[in-house]
Amino acid sequence: MSELLSEQKLILGTLGPEQSHAWQAAICYAPHAEIMLYPHSGGLLDAFISQEVDQIVVPIFNTRQGENKQYFRLFEQVNEGYWLDNIVLPSNLSLGVFAPDVRAVDLEVLLGQRAVFRQCEEYICGTFPDVALTSVHDIEQAVLRLRELDQKNQGVIATAELLDALGLHILEREVAPHNRTRYAVLGRGIARPTGYDATAFITGALDDRVGLLVDILGEFSRHGINILDMSSENDVKSQKLQIYLEAEGHIEDRAMQEVVTGIEERIIGQRNRMRLLGCFSRVDMRPKYIGSFGFIGTGAMSAWFADRLEHEGYRTCMTGRSTELRPEEMIPQVDVVVICVPISFTVETIRQYGPLIEDGKALILLAGESETTVETALEITGSGVEVMLVHNLWGPQAATMKDKNAIVVRTGRSGRFCSEFEAFLYKHGASIYQDSATKHDLLMGIGQKLPTVISVALAMTLEENRITAEDLASHCTLTSLYPILAMARVHSQNPRTYAEIMSTSGESRKIVHDFAVNLERVKEMADLGSQAGIQKLCNVIEQNSRHLTDPFLRNRMEQAKAVDEVLGAII
């Protein structure tokens, strides 16, 4: 519950009667508050405006019904007050009758609230296609009247708890499965930041302009703010567009304030057109199965991922050789174990700690070599442990993972925990590619291992031939500059990282070996020093071009020309 008011002093309003779904949400939010019940939304809103109640609980979204636009329109009538919290509650809607001997075929009329009928539309159409529907505000009063009239041919759809409280006999339970409702709590002040917040806005009526919505969303994207929800409708009076937005972050965040200023001043062109509805702890209507991640490995990449997972509401902890918390102590406390250690230590680490992971949990490997790593993980862990490898092709210096490549190697034991982590990568903009373990290692031989080996061998060759940096600068063409730049990158960073890449086993090793064989063949043809040798080399290049395909060569050549413009200006 919000800390803005003490629960003991809180007067909380919601829709009645007792045991209704809204009443249950209010009790869940503040069990010890004084609950005031109202038969319809108008009376509830009037009570809030007149300060008869301190806060109100109203339904905003239902997984079967969608958003409740009626309540969004109510915000226009609330001049003082903010959305400050949420309750998400499953709803066990059931069918009740007035006597135990009543059967479904005996029913001629169904009684319920309009929103309930919409949530149960699939069930009603399939089970009672010819039955009349009677929508009421006050279920309790309607049931009392029907009981007095002895109307046994009528059924009632409501929560199972309310049907029991009204003394009805439940004929069928949970007639609308996977049914959850999100309730908003409206209060007098803005909730304080928690570190896992969302902020809701609604615009005023907007004038037509081409690209307006795209520009508004682009302002959030430009500041790295994720949109959680968005909807639009026409203002009832003017029929101009209004946009509702819910975004990650708090209004006190600098980035959020810059977004609001940018939209009002540069995009809409009018001040005070982005009305703040409120701030609250972030709500995800999609179920989260993972509560916590535990990292084995305290390097910069582990810290990079842990920080971003914490901003998604997960609990994280890091363990390693120098931490007080040991990996064997951490593993029973978390849902997902993440191993992120140097490549040469990955298999050893899996063998040491994999057997400690219980069934029902997951092991995610942040590693650059997959075949041996994944095989070991599947062998060492129990059959009920999920296993997946992720190779992120960026380092801890990256500000975001947007548009960065992530290779995902799923296994037959990759389940919902693994899918949730993959969804986390996708949400933050990573370009995800699915590989088998063998294919991953083969392609990483091309993408990482071979270029690194070439860079190291090239630097060794320069030293042996006493070629200096000044010599390179004076004799490089744009084409020859590419491998020089790659060589400089490798030799400007942590040598351990690149030594680990070159030492990986599996299919990536085959790429280097095959390259060495082909390099020898090319060298032999070049060493012929004759027209025959030159023709052989031409034939090889033409054959290579056919394999690479014209579209690939055209696209990469365009990229090369763009890079050439930059490099040409430098050299």
Side-chain angles (χ1 to χ4, degrees), residues 17 138-146 166:
D138 193 329
I139 286 285
E140 187 174 26
Q141 290 299 319
V143 167
L144 290 175
R145 286 196 299 270
L146 289 175
L166 294 174

PDB file of all heavy atoms in Angstrom, residues 17 138-146 166:
ATOM      1  N   PRO A  17     -21.079  -4.786  -4.107  1.00  0.00           N
ATOM      2  CA  PRO A  17     -21.193  -4.926  -2.646  1.00  0.00           C
ATOM      3  C   PRO A  17     -19.976  -5.640  -2.048  1.00  0.00           C
ATOM      4  O   PRO A  17     -18.984  -5.859  -2.762  1.00  0.00           O
ATOM      5  CB  PRO A  17     -22.437  -5.802  -2.497  1.00  0.00           C
ATOM      6  CG  PRO A  17     -22.389  -6.696  -3.707  1.00  0.00           C
ATOM      7  CD  PRO A  17     -21.843  -5.827  -4.825  1.00  0.00           C
ATOM      8  N   ASP A 138     -26.229  -3.057  -9.214  1.00  0.00           N
ATOM      9  CA  ASP A 138     -26.195  -3.575  -7.849  1.00  0.00           C
ATOM     10  C   ASP A 138     -26.654  -5.032  -7.848  1.00  0.00           C
ATOM     11  O   ASP A 138     -27.856  -5.330  -7.840  1.00  0.00           O
ATOM     12  CB  ASP A 138     -27.095  -2.730  -6.950  1.00  0.00           C
ATOM     13  CG  ASP A 138     -26.862  -3.007  -5.470  1.00  0.00           C
ATOM     14  OD1 ASP A 138     -26.511  -4.147  -5.134  1.00  0.00           O
ATOM     15  OD2 ASP A 138     -27.043  -2.079  -4.656  1.00  0.00           O
ATOM     16  N   ILE A 139     -25.692  -5.935  -7.888  1.00  0.00           N
ATOM     17  CA  ILE A 139     -26.005  -7.367  -7.924  1.00  0.00           C
ATOM     18  C   ILE A 139     -26.753  -7.795  -6.668  1.00  0.00           C
ATOM     19  O   ILE A 139     -27.713  -8.574  -6.717  1.00  0.00           O
ATOM     20  CB  ILE A 139     -24.695  -8.185  -8.068  1.00  0.00           C
ATOM     21  CG1 ILE A 139     -24.150  -8.065  -9.499  1.00  0.00           C
ATOM     22  CG2 ILE A 139     -24.910  -9.648  -7.724  1.00  0.00           C
ATOM     23  CD1 ILE A 139     -24.905  -8.873 -10.523  1.00  0.00           C
ATOM     24  N   GLU A 140     -26.325  -7.297  -5.527  1.00  0.00           N
ATOM     25  CA  GLU A 140     -26.915  -7.710  -4.255  1.00  0.00           C
ATOM     26  C   GLU A 140     -28.413  -7.420  -4.214  1.00  0.00           C
ATOM     27  O   GLU A 140     -29.220  -8.303  -3.875  1.00  0.00           O
ATOM     28  CB  GLU A 140     -26.198  -6.995  -3.109  1.00  0.00           C
ATOM     29  CG  GLU A 140     -26.599  -7.474  -1.729  1.00  0.00           C
ATOM     30  CD  GLU A 140     -25.766  -6.836  -0.643  1.00  0.00           C
ATOM     31  OE1 GLU A 140     -25.247  -5.730  -0.862  1.00  0.00           O
ATOM     32  OE2 GLU A 140     -25.612  -7.454   0.428  1.00  0.00           O
ATOM     33  N   GLN A 141     -28.820  -6.199  -4.579  1.00  0.00           N
ATOM     34  CA  GLN A 141     -30.241  -5.846  -4.568  1.00  0.00           C
ATOM     35  C   GLN A 141     -31.028  -6.642  -5.600  1.00  0.00           C
ATOM     36  O   GLN A 141     -32.146  -7.079  -5.350  1.00  0.00           O
ATOM     37  CB  GLN A 141     -30.394  -4.344  -4.831  1.00  0.00           C
ATOM     38  CG  GLN A 141     -29.912  -3.462  -3.702  1.00  0.00           C
ATOM     39  CD  GLN A 141     -30.692  -3.718  -2.413  1.00  0.00           C
ATOM     40  OE1 GLN A 141     -31.920  -3.892  -2.428  1.00  0.00           O
ATOM     41  NE2 GLN A 141     -29.966  -3.758  -1.294  1.00  0.00           N
ATOM     42  N   ALA A 142     -30.427  -6.871  -6.767  1.00  0.00           N
ATOM     43  CA  ALA A 142     -31.109  -7.634  -7.810  1.00  0.00           C
ATOM     44  C   ALA A 142     -31.363  -9.072  -7.371  1.00  0.00           C
ATOM     45  O   ALA A 142     -32.449  -9.634  -7.608  1.00  0.00           O
ATOM     46  CB  ALA A 142     -30.288  -7.614  -9.093  1.00  0.00           C
ATOM     47  N   VAL A 143     -30.376  -9.676  -6.706  1.00  0.00           N
ATOM     48  CA  VAL A 143     -30.551 -11.056  -6.234  1.00  0.00           C
ATOM     49  C   VAL A 143     -31.636 -11.126  -5.164  1.00  0.00           C
ATOM     50  O   VAL A 143     -32.464 -12.059  -5.149  1.00  0.00           O
ATOM     51  CB  VAL A 143     -29.202 -11.597  -5.699  1.00  0.00           C
ATOM     52  CG1 VAL A 143     -29.408 -12.894  -4.919  1.00  0.00           C
ATOM     53  CG2 VAL A 143     -28.233 -11.833  -6.852  1.00  0.00           C
ATOM     54  N   LEU A 144     -31.676 -10.148  -4.275  1.00  0.00           N
ATOM     55  CA  LEU A 144     -32.723 -10.129  -3.236  1.00  0.00           C
ATOM     56  C   LEU A 144     -34.115 -10.055  -3.856  1.00  0.00           C
ATOM     57  O   LEU A 144     -35.047 -10.756  -3.425  1.00  0.00           O
ATOM     58  CB  LEU A 144     -32.491  -8.955  -2.286  1.00  0.00           C
ATOM     59  CG  LEU A 144     -31.271  -9.056  -1.367  1.00  0.00           C
ATOM     60  CD1 LEU A 144     -31.093  -7.778  -0.564  1.00  0.00           C
ATOM     61  CD2 LEU A 144     -31.408 -10.259  -0.426  1.00  0.00           C
ATOM     62  N   ARG A 145     -34.279  -9.226  -4.880  1.00  0.00           N
ATOM     63  CA  ARG A 145     -35.589  -9.113  -5.539  1.00  0.00           C
ATOM     64  C   ARG A 145     -35.975 -10.415  -6.223  1.00  0.00           C
ATOM     65  O   ARG A 145     -37.131 -10.870  -6.128  1.00  0.00           O
ATOM     66  CB  ARG A 145     -35.565  -7.975  -6.547  1.00  0.00           C
ATOM     67  CG  ARG A 145     -35.588  -6.588  -5.914  1.00  0.00           C
ATOM     68  CD  ARG A 145     -35.964  -5.526  -6.932  1.00  0.00           C
ATOM     69  NE  ARG A 145     -35.010  -5.474  -8.029  1.00  0.00           N
ATOM     70  CZ  ARG A 145     -33.925  -4.709  -8.031  1.00  0.00           C
ATOM     71  NH1 ARG A 145     -33.659  -3.937  -6.976  1.00  0.00           N
ATOM     72  NH2 ARG A 145     -33.113  -4.706  -9.056  1.00  0.00           N
ATOM     73  N   LEU A 146     -35.028 -11.039  -6.914  1.00  0.00           N
ATOM     74  CA  LEU A 146     -35.332 -12.293  -7.608  1.00  0.00           C
ATOM     75  C   LEU A 146     -35.668 -13.414  -6.625  1.00  0.00           C
ATOM     76  O   LEU A 146     -36.534 -14.256  -6.897  1.00  0.00           O
ATOM     77  CB  LEU A 146     -34.149 -12.703  -8.490  1.00  0.00           C
ATOM     78  CG  LEU A 146     -33.913 -11.848  -9.740  1.00  0.00           C
ATOM     79  CD1 LEU A 146     -32.646 -12.288 -10.454  1.00  0.00           C
ATOM     80  CD2 LEU A 146     -35.102 -11.935 -10.694  1.00  0.00           C
ATOM     81  N   LEU A 166     -23.989 -14.412  -1.208  1.00  0.00           N
ATOM     82  CA  LEU A 166     -25.410 -14.168  -1.476  1.00  0.00           C
ATOM     83  C   LEU A 166     -26.260 -15.423  -1.312  1.00  0.00           C
ATOM     84  O   LEU A 166     -27.482 -15.394  -1.529  1.00  0.00           O
ATOM     85  CB  LEU A 166     -25.583 -13.614  -2.898  1.00  0.00           C
ATOM     86  CG  LEU A 166     -24.978 -12.229  -3.150  1.00  0.00           C
ATOM     87  CD1 LEU A 166     -25.086 -11.851  -4.626  1.00  0.00           C
ATOM     88  CD2 LEU A 166     -25.648 -11.182  -2.274  1.00  0.00           C
TER      89      LEU A 166
END
